[in-house]
Amino acid sequence: MDVNQRYSIAYKELKSGLHEFQFVLDGSLFQAFESTDIKDGNLTAQVSLLKMEYEMNLDITIDGTVRVTCDRCLEDFDLPIHFDGKLIVRITNEVGEYDGEVMWVLPAEDEINMAQYLYESVVLSLPYSRVHPEGKCNPDMLKRFNIVTEQEFAAIEEKAQENDVQSPFKDLEALRNQMEKDEQQEK
């Protein structure tokens, strides 16, 4: 089934009032939009549609997981996603531009295509940094990247600060900086 058909709501035959829909979002949705970040998905979208004469208000909740690559160890993992959103669909001959919050449909159209909205909602729900929960990264990959833990990093920083205080070159660097400053003032 075409991804646009699969994620469409046939609203023409619906009576005014509240209607509930459920969509399963999987890898086919992300493949259709050629997503490079999301490799697969197992999500459910709950849509509550309040139909009025010339407008529909949709409340959308998306829950589930998407398969992404860990930014730290480069292995794929399932990342939990939650999204709550609202979409207004206006039925009018004056077609406006879809902006993520308002969708315009002509009276002759009989379906609302939700595919793009659902895809964008999931993508926008992704965190900026996509990493395994602490301690779940592949230890072999971390060793290859020579990544240190926060405790190890703090110890390295502390040792560097101690060495900096004891360094005889610190005084020489300060003297050099002062001499350069004096030379610039003489010019």
PDB file of all heavy atoms in Angstrom, residues 143-173:
ATOM      1  N   LYS A 143      36.550   1.856  23.302  1.00  0.00           N
ATOM      2  CA  LYS A 143      38.008   1.708  23.402  1.00  0.00           C
ATOM      3  C   LYS A 143      38.681   2.148  22.115  1.00  0.00           C
ATOM      4  O   LYS A 143      39.734   2.779  22.139  1.00  0.00           O
ATOM      5  CB  LYS A 143      38.377   0.253  23.720  1.00  0.00           C
ATOM      6  CG  LYS A 143      38.095  -0.141  25.131  1.00  0.00           C
ATOM      7  CD  LYS A 143      38.443  -1.599  25.369  1.00  0.00           C
ATOM      8  CE  LYS A 143      37.980  -2.020  26.751  1.00  0.00           C
ATOM      9  NZ  LYS A 143      38.150  -3.463  26.969  1.00  0.00           N
ATOM     10  N   ARG A 144      38.068   1.830  20.980  1.00  0.00           N
ATOM     11  CA  ARG A 144      38.640   2.247  19.691  1.00  0.00           C
ATOM     12  C   ARG A 144      38.685   3.765  19.565  1.00  0.00           C
ATOM     13  O   ARG A 144      39.590   4.317  18.959  1.00  0.00           O
ATOM     14  CB  ARG A 144      37.830   1.676  18.535  1.00  0.00           C
ATOM     15  CG  ARG A 144      38.013   0.194  18.369  1.00  0.00           C
ATOM     16  CD  ARG A 144      37.226  -0.294  17.201  1.00  0.00           C
ATOM     17  NE  ARG A 144      37.294  -1.750  17.144  1.00  0.00           N
ATOM     18  CZ  ARG A 144      36.665  -2.475  16.268  1.00  0.00           C
ATOM     19  NH1 ARG A 144      35.910  -1.896  15.355  1.00  0.00           N
ATOM     20  NH2 ARG A 144      36.762  -3.775  16.271  1.00  0.00           N
ATOM     21  N   PHE A 145      37.680   4.423  20.112  1.00  0.00           N
ATOM     22  CA  PHE A 145      37.638   5.881  20.056  1.00  0.00           C
ATOM     23  C   PHE A 145      38.388   6.518  21.214  1.00  0.00           C
ATOM     24  O   PHE A 145      38.515   7.723  21.285  1.00  0.00           O
ATOM     25  CB  PHE A 145      36.188   6.386  20.065  1.00  0.00           C
ATOM     26  CG  PHE A 145      35.415   6.030  18.839  1.00  0.00           C
ATOM     27  CD1 PHE A 145      34.152   5.482  18.940  1.00  0.00           C
ATOM     28  CD2 PHE A 145      35.940   6.240  17.583  1.00  0.00           C
ATOM     29  CE1 PHE A 145      33.421   5.156  17.808  1.00  0.00           C
ATOM     30  CE2 PHE A 145      35.234   5.919  16.447  1.00  0.00           C
ATOM     31  CZ  PHE A 145      33.978   5.372  16.560  1.00  0.00           C
ATOM     32  N   ASN A 146      38.833   5.679  22.161  1.00  0.00           N
ATOM     33  CA  ASN A 146      39.569   6.138  23.332  1.00  0.00           C
ATOM     34  C   ASN A 146      38.772   7.180  24.105  1.00  0.00           C
ATOM     35  O   ASN A 146      39.284   8.209  24.510  1.00  0.00           O
ATOM     36  CB  ASN A 146      40.937   6.688  22.935  1.00  0.00           C
ATOM     37  CG  ASN A 146      41.871   6.749  24.118  1.00  0.00           C
ATOM     38  OD1 ASN A 146      41.658   6.085  25.121  1.00  0.00           O
ATOM     39  ND2 ASN A 146      42.922   7.548  23.999  1.00  0.00           N
ATOM     40  N   ILE A 147      37.499   6.918  24.276  1.00  0.00           N
ATOM     41  CA  ILE A 147      36.621   7.815  25.018  1.00  0.00           C
ATOM     42  C   ILE A 147      36.760   7.511  26.504  1.00  0.00           C
ATOM     43  O   ILE A 147      36.787   6.352  26.915  1.00  0.00           O
ATOM     44  CB  ILE A 147      35.154   7.658  24.563  1.00  0.00           C
ATOM     45  CG1 ILE A 147      35.039   8.116  23.114  1.00  0.00           C
ATOM     46  CG2 ILE A 147      34.217   8.427  25.458  1.00  0.00           C
ATOM     47  CD1 ILE A 147      33.670   7.931  22.519  1.00  0.00           C
ATOM     48  N   VAL A 148      36.856   8.554  27.298  1.00  0.00           N
ATOM     49  CA  VAL A 148      37.013   8.394  28.735  1.00  0.00           C
ATOM     50  C   VAL A 148      35.696   8.709  29.432  1.00  0.00           C
ATOM     51  O   VAL A 148      34.865   9.445  28.914  1.00  0.00           O
ATOM     52  CB  VAL A 148      38.130   9.325  29.281  1.00  0.00           C
ATOM     53  CG1 VAL A 148      39.481   8.940  28.714  1.00  0.00           C
ATOM     54  CG2 VAL A 148      37.837  10.772  28.997  1.00  0.00           C
ATOM     55  N   THR A 149      35.546   8.159  30.614  1.00  0.00           N
ATOM     56  CA  THR A 149      34.349   8.441  31.403  1.00  0.00           C
ATOM     57  C   THR A 149      34.475   9.835  32.010  1.00  0.00           C
ATOM     58  O   THR A 149      35.558  10.442  32.001  1.00  0.00           O
ATOM     59  CB  THR A 149      34.170   7.409  32.529  1.00  0.00           C
ATOM     60  OG1 THR A 149      35.269   7.547  33.445  1.00  0.00           O
ATOM     61  CG2 THR A 149      34.114   5.993  31.979  1.00  0.00           C
ATOM     62  N   GLU A 150      33.393  10.331  32.574  1.00  0.00           N
ATOM     63  CA  GLU A 150      33.421  11.653  33.194  1.00  0.00           C
ATOM     64  C   GLU A 150      34.388  11.692  34.371  1.00  0.00           C
ATOM     65  O   GLU A 150      35.082  12.681  34.586  1.00  0.00           O
ATOM     66  CB  GLU A 150      32.007  12.046  33.646  1.00  0.00           C
ATOM     67  CG  GLU A 150      31.108  12.428  32.493  1.00  0.00           C
ATOM     68  CD  GLU A 150      29.752  12.942  32.960  1.00  0.00           C
ATOM     69  OE1 GLU A 150      29.696  13.609  34.021  1.00  0.00           O
ATOM     70  OE2 GLU A 150      28.770  12.691  32.256  1.00  0.00           O
ATOM     71  N   GLN A 151      34.450  10.594  35.142  1.00  0.00           N
ATOM     72  CA  GLN A 151      35.370  10.535  36.272  1.00  0.00           C
ATOM     73  C   GLN A 151      36.820  10.575  35.790  1.00  0.00           C
ATOM     74  O   GLN A 151      37.654  11.285  36.357  1.00  0.00           O
ATOM     75  CB  GLN A 151      35.146   9.263  37.111  1.00  0.00           C
ATOM     76  CG  GLN A 151      33.816   9.214  37.824  1.00  0.00           C
ATOM     77  CD  GLN A 151      32.693   8.654  36.934  1.00  0.00           C
ATOM     78  OE1 GLN A 151      32.931   8.225  35.813  1.00  0.00           O
ATOM     79  NE2 GLN A 151      31.476   8.678  37.433  1.00  0.00           N
ATOM     80  N   GLU A 152      37.114   9.816  34.731  1.00  0.00           N
ATOM     81  CA  GLU A 152      38.475   9.821  34.186  1.00  0.00           C
ATOM     82  C   GLU A 152      38.834  11.199  33.647  1.00  0.00           C
ATOM     83  O   GLU A 152      39.949  11.682  33.838  1.00  0.00           O
ATOM     84  CB  GLU A 152      38.610   8.769  33.079  1.00  0.00           C
ATOM     85  CG  GLU A 152      38.530   7.336  33.571  1.00  0.00           C
ATOM     86  CD  GLU A 152      38.446   6.332  32.437  1.00  0.00           C
ATOM     87  OE1 GLU A 152      37.865   6.669  31.383  1.00  0.00           O
ATOM     88  OE2 GLU A 152      38.961   5.209  32.606  1.00  0.00           O
ATOM     89  N   PHE A 153      37.895  11.837  32.968  1.00  0.00           N
ATOM     90  CA  PHE A 153      38.132  13.164  32.413  1.00  0.00           C
ATOM     91  C   PHE A 153      38.397  14.168  33.533  1.00  0.00           C
ATOM     92  O   PHE A 153      39.306  15.006  33.433  1.00  0.00           O
ATOM     93  CB  PHE A 153      36.945  13.610  31.559  1.00  0.00           C
ATOM     94  CG  PHE A 153      37.155  14.928  30.882  1.00  0.00           C
ATOM     95  CD1 PHE A 153      38.011  15.027  29.794  1.00  0.00           C
ATOM     96  CD2 PHE A 153      36.508  16.068  31.322  1.00  0.00           C
ATOM     97  CE1 PHE A 153      38.218  16.248  29.158  1.00  0.00           C
ATOM     98  CE2 PHE A 153      36.710  17.283  30.699  1.00  0.00           C
ATOM     99  CZ  PHE A 153      37.569  17.371  29.617  1.00  0.00           C
ATOM    100  N   ALA A 154      37.625  14.094  34.617  1.00  0.00           N
ATOM    101  CA  ALA A 154      37.815  15.000  35.748  1.00  0.00           C
ATOM    102  C   ALA A 154      39.201  14.794  36.364  1.00  0.00           C
ATOM    103  O   ALA A 154      39.877  15.768  36.726  1.00  0.00           O
ATOM    104  CB  ALA A 154      36.723  14.789  36.788  1.00  0.00           C
ATOM    105  N   ALA A 155      39.631  13.551  36.481  1.00  0.00           N
ATOM    106  CA  ALA A 155      40.959  13.265  37.029  1.00  0.00           C
ATOM    107  C   ALA A 155      42.050  13.824  36.122  1.00  0.00           C
ATOM    108  O   ALA A 155      43.047  14.385  36.603  1.00  0.00           O
ATOM    109  CB  ALA A 155      41.134  11.761  37.214  1.00  0.00           C
ATOM    110  N   ILE A 156      41.900  13.702  34.824  1.00  0.00           N
ATOM    111  CA  ILE A 156      42.874  14.236  33.866  1.00  0.00           C
ATOM    112  C   ILE A 156      42.940  15.757  33.972  1.00  0.00           C
ATOM    113  O   ILE A 156      44.025  16.344  33.987  1.00  0.00           O
ATOM    114  CB  ILE A 156      42.526  13.790  32.426  1.00  0.00           C
ATOM    115  CG1 ILE A 156      42.735  12.286  32.280  1.00  0.00           C
ATOM    116  CG2 ILE A 156      43.348  14.556  31.402  1.00  0.00           C
ATOM    117  CD1 ILE A 156      42.157  11.700  31.001  1.00  0.00           C
ATOM    118  N   GLU A 157      41.778  16.400  34.052  1.00  0.00           N
ATOM    119  CA  GLU A 157      41.723  17.855  34.181  1.00  0.00           C
ATOM    120  C   GLU A 157      42.402  18.317  35.470  1.00  0.00           C
ATOM    121  O   GLU A 157      43.149  19.295  35.474  1.00  0.00           O
ATOM    122  CB  GLU A 157      40.266  18.347  34.165  1.00  0.00           C
ATOM    123  CG  GLU A 157      39.627  18.330  32.808  1.00  0.00           C
ATOM    124  CD  GLU A 157      40.177  19.415  31.909  1.00  0.00           C
ATOM    125  OE1 GLU A 157      40.262  20.584  32.328  1.00  0.00           O
ATOM    126  OE2 GLU A 157      40.556  19.073  30.775  1.00  0.00           O
ATOM    127  N   GLU A 158      42.146  17.607  36.570  1.00  0.00           N
ATOM    128  CA  GLU A 158      42.740  17.967  37.855  1.00  0.00           C
ATOM    129  C   GLU A 158      44.255  17.839  37.798  1.00  0.00           C
ATOM    130  O   GLU A 158      44.996  18.713  38.258  1.00  0.00           O
ATOM    131  CB  GLU A 158      42.165  17.068  38.958  1.00  0.00           C
ATOM    132  CG  GLU A 158      42.612  17.453  40.354  1.00  0.00           C
ATOM    133  CD  GLU A 158      41.956  16.593  41.411  1.00  0.00           C
ATOM    134  OE1 GLU A 158      40.747  16.321  41.294  1.00  0.00           O
ATOM    135  OE2 GLU A 158      42.670  16.192  42.339  1.00  0.00           O
ATOM    136  N   LYS A 159      44.733  16.767  37.203  1.00  0.00           N
ATOM    137  CA  LYS A 159      46.178  16.543  37.083  1.00  0.00           C
ATOM    138  C   LYS A 159      46.809  17.621  36.203  1.00  0.00           C
ATOM    139  O   LYS A 159      47.896  18.124  36.505  1.00  0.00           O
ATOM    140  CB  LYS A 159      46.455  15.162  36.499  1.00  0.00           C
ATOM    141  CG  LYS A 159      47.902  14.777  36.509  1.00  0.00           C
ATOM    142  CD  LYS A 159      48.092  13.347  36.066  1.00  0.00           C
ATOM    143  CE  LYS A 159      49.564  12.982  36.107  1.00  0.00           C
ATOM    144  NZ  LYS A 159      49.801  11.608  35.715  1.00  0.00           N
ATOM    145  N   ALA A 160      46.133  18.017  35.139  1.00  0.00           N
ATOM    146  CA  ALA A 160      46.647  19.056  34.251  1.00  0.00           C
ATOM    147  C   ALA A 160      46.742  20.391  34.985  1.00  0.00           C
ATOM    148  O   ALA A 160      47.708  21.140  34.799  1.00  0.00           O
ATOM    149  CB  ALA A 160      45.760  19.190  33.025  1.00  0.00           C
ATOM    150  N   GLN A 161      45.763  20.696  35.821  1.00  0.00           N
ATOM    151  CA  GLN A 161      45.797  21.941  36.580  1.00  0.00           C
ATOM    152  C   GLN A 161      46.940  21.921  37.592  1.00  0.00           C
ATOM    153  O   GLN A 161      47.619  22.922  37.798  1.00  0.00           O
ATOM    154  CB  GLN A 161      44.465  22.180  37.288  1.00  0.00           C
ATOM    155  CG  GLN A 161      43.357  22.598  36.351  1.00  0.00           C
ATOM    156  CD  GLN A 161      42.020  22.738  37.057  1.00  0.00           C
ATOM    157  OE1 GLN A 161      41.876  22.390  38.219  1.00  0.00           O
ATOM    158  NE2 GLN A 161      41.042  23.249  36.319  1.00  0.00           N
ATOM    159  N   GLU A 162      47.169  20.772  38.248  1.00  0.00           N
ATOM    160  CA  GLU A 162      48.285  20.659  39.186  1.00  0.00           C
ATOM    161  C   GLU A 162      49.614  20.854  38.464  1.00  0.00           C
ATOM    162  O   GLU A 162      50.497  21.557  38.946  1.00  0.00           O
ATOM    163  CB  GLU A 162      48.270  19.284  39.868  1.00  0.00           C
ATOM    164  CG  GLU A 162      47.168  19.107  40.873  1.00  0.00           C
ATOM    165  CD  GLU A 162      47.080  17.678  41.396  1.00  0.00           C
ATOM    166  OE1 GLU A 162      47.988  16.860  41.095  1.00  0.00           O
ATOM    167  OE2 GLU A 162      46.106  17.375  42.100  1.00  0.00           O
ATOM    168  N   ASN A 163      49.754  20.236  37.303  1.00  0.00           N
ATOM    169  CA  ASN A 163      50.990  20.368  36.526  1.00  0.00           C
ATOM    170  C   ASN A 163      51.184  21.791  36.042  1.00  0.00           C
ATOM    171  O   ASN A 163      52.313  22.269  35.959  1.00  0.00           O
ATOM    172  CB  ASN A 163      50.993  19.407  35.330  1.00  0.00           C
ATOM    173  CG  ASN A 163      51.176  17.966  35.762  1.00  0.00           C
ATOM    174  OD1 ASN A 163      51.642  17.706  36.860  1.00  0.00           O
ATOM    175  ND2 ASN A 163      50.803  17.038  34.895  1.00  0.00           N
ATOM    176  N   ASP A 164      50.099  22.469  35.707  1.00  0.00           N
ATOM    177  CA  ASP A 164      50.173  23.836  35.214  1.00  0.00           C
ATOM    178  C   ASP A 164      50.723  24.764  36.293  1.00  0.00           C
ATOM    179  O   ASP A 164      51.525  25.650  36.019  1.00  0.00           O
ATOM    180  CB  ASP A 164      48.783  24.295  34.757  1.00  0.00           C
ATOM    181  CG  ASP A 164      48.851  25.584  33.958  1.00  0.00           C
ATOM    182  OD1 ASP A 164      49.854  25.779  33.250  1.00  0.00           O
ATOM    183  OD2 ASP A 164      47.892  26.376  34.046  1.00  0.00           O
ATOM    184  N   VAL A 165      50.321  24.555  37.543  1.00  0.00           N
ATOM    185  CA  VAL A 165      50.773  25.389  38.651  1.00  0.00           C
ATOM    186  C   VAL A 165      52.264  25.160  38.903  1.00  0.00           C
ATOM    187  O   VAL A 165      53.014  26.085  39.189  1.00  0.00           O
ATOM    188  CB  VAL A 165      49.944  25.088  39.928  1.00  0.00           C
ATOM    189  CG1 VAL A 165      50.531  25.761  41.141  1.00  0.00           C
ATOM    190  CG2 VAL A 165      48.505  25.507  39.717  1.00  0.00           C
ATOM    191  N   GLN A 166      52.725  23.922  38.768  1.00  0.00           N
ATOM    192  CA  GLN A 166      54.105  23.572  39.066  1.00  0.00           C
ATOM    193  C   GLN A 166      55.047  23.784  37.882  1.00  0.00           C
ATOM    194  O   GLN A 166      56.245  23.634  38.025  1.00  0.00           O
ATOM    195  CB  GLN A 166      54.187  22.103  39.517  1.00  0.00           C
ATOM    196  CG  GLN A 166      53.386  21.822  40.770  1.00  0.00           C
ATOM    197  CD  GLN A 166      53.277  20.336  41.057  1.00  0.00           C
ATOM    198  OE1 GLN A 166      53.755  19.515  40.295  1.00  0.00           O
ATOM    199  NE2 GLN A 166      52.651  19.992  42.164  1.00  0.00           N
ATOM    200  N   SER A 167      54.545  24.125  36.747  1.00  0.00           N
ATOM    201  CA  SER A 167      55.350  24.228  35.534  1.00  0.00           C
ATOM    202  C   SER A 167      56.277  25.444  35.572  1.00  0.00           C
ATOM    203  O   SER A 167      55.818  26.565  35.778  1.00  0.00           O
ATOM    204  CB  SER A 167      54.444  24.312  34.303  1.00  0.00           C
ATOM    205  OG  SER A 167      55.215  24.577  33.163  1.00  0.00           O
ATOM    206  N   PRO A 168      57.592  25.251  35.334  1.00  0.00           N
ATOM    207  CA  PRO A 168      58.511  26.389  35.269  1.00  0.00           C
ATOM    208  C   PRO A 168      58.296  27.208  33.989  1.00  0.00           C
ATOM    209  O   PRO A 168      58.689  28.363  33.918  1.00  0.00           O
ATOM    210  CB  PRO A 168      59.893  25.738  35.270  1.00  0.00           C
ATOM    211  CG  PRO A 168      59.673  24.355  34.780  1.00  0.00           C
ATOM    212  CD  PRO A 168      58.279  23.986  35.197  1.00  0.00           C
ATOM    213  N   PHE A 169      57.663  26.611  32.993  1.00  0.00           N
ATOM    214  CA  PHE A 169      57.438  27.305  31.734  1.00  0.00           C
ATOM    215  C   PHE A 169      56.316  28.337  31.834  1.00  0.00           C
ATOM    216  O   PHE A 169      56.197  29.206  30.989  1.00  0.00           O
ATOM    217  CB  PHE A 169      57.140  26.300  30.611  1.00  0.00           C
ATOM    218  CG  PHE A 169      58.303  25.375  30.356  1.00  0.00           C
ATOM    219  CD1 PHE A 169      58.257  24.058  30.782  1.00  0.00           C
ATOM    220  CD2 PHE A 169      59.437  25.833  29.704  1.00  0.00           C
ATOM    221  CE1 PHE A 169      59.321  23.214  30.553  1.00  0.00           C
ATOM    222  CE2 PHE A 169      60.509  24.989  29.471  1.00  0.00           C
ATOM    223  CZ  PHE A 169      60.457  23.677  29.905  1.00  0.00           C
ATOM    224  N   LYS A 170      55.507  28.221  32.859  1.00  0.00           N
ATOM    225  CA  LYS A 170      54.418  29.173  33.041  1.00  0.00           C
ATOM    226  C   LYS A 170      54.975  30.583  33.241  1.00  0.00           C
ATOM    227  O   LYS A 170      54.482  31.544  32.648  1.00  0.00           O
ATOM    228  CB  LYS A 170      53.548  28.758  34.230  1.00  0.00           C
ATOM    229  CG  LYS A 170      52.338  29.631  34.429  1.00  0.00           C
ATOM    230  CD  LYS A 170      51.475  29.118  35.547  1.00  0.00           C
ATOM    231  CE  LYS A 170      50.258  30.000  35.684  1.00  0.00           C
ATOM    232  NZ  LYS A 170      49.448  29.602  36.807  1.00  0.00           N
ATOM    233  N   ASP A 171      56.018  30.716  34.065  1.00  0.00           N
ATOM    234  CA  ASP A 171      56.634  32.020  34.299  1.00  0.00           C
ATOM    235  C   ASP A 171      57.301  32.538  33.032  1.00  0.00           C
ATOM    236  O   ASP A 171      57.239  33.737  32.734  1.00  0.00           O
ATOM    237  CB  ASP A 171      57.654  31.925  35.437  1.00  0.00           C
ATOM    238  CG  ASP A 171      57.000  31.616  36.776  1.00  0.00           C
ATOM    239  OD1 ASP A 171      55.806  31.961  36.934  1.00  0.00           O
ATOM    240  OD2 ASP A 171      57.682  31.049  37.648  1.00  0.00           O
ATOM    241  N   LEU A 172      57.947  31.654  32.276  1.00  0.00           N
ATOM    242  CA  LEU A 172      58.588  32.063  31.032  1.00  0.00           C
ATOM    243  C   LEU A 172      57.562  32.563  30.009  1.00  0.00           C
ATOM    244  O   LEU A 172      57.808  33.548  29.301  1.00  0.00           O
ATOM    245  CB  LEU A 172      59.410  30.907  30.441  1.00  0.00           C
ATOM    246  CG  LEU A 172      60.697  30.560  31.191  1.00  0.00           C
ATOM    247  CD1 LEU A 172      61.326  29.308  30.586  1.00  0.00           C
ATOM    248  CD2 LEU A 172      61.666  31.716  31.150  1.00  0.00           C
ATOM    249  N   GLU A 173      56.408  31.880  29.947  1.00  0.00           N
ATOM    250  CA  GLU A 173      55.357  32.287  29.016  1.00  0.00           C
ATOM    251  C   GLU A 173      54.811  33.664  29.409  1.00  0.00           C
ATOM    252  O   GLU A 173      54.580  34.521  28.551  1.00  0.00           O
ATOM    253  CB  GLU A 173      54.236  31.254  28.982  1.00  0.00           C
ATOM    254  CG  GLU A 173      53.174  31.582  27.956  1.00  0.00           C
ATOM    255  CD  GLU A 173      52.090  30.520  27.886  1.00  0.00           C
ATOM    256  OE1 GLU A 173      52.249  29.418  28.420  1.00  0.00           O
ATOM    257  OE2 GLU A 173      51.067  30.828  27.276  1.00  0.00           O
TER     258      GLU A 173
END
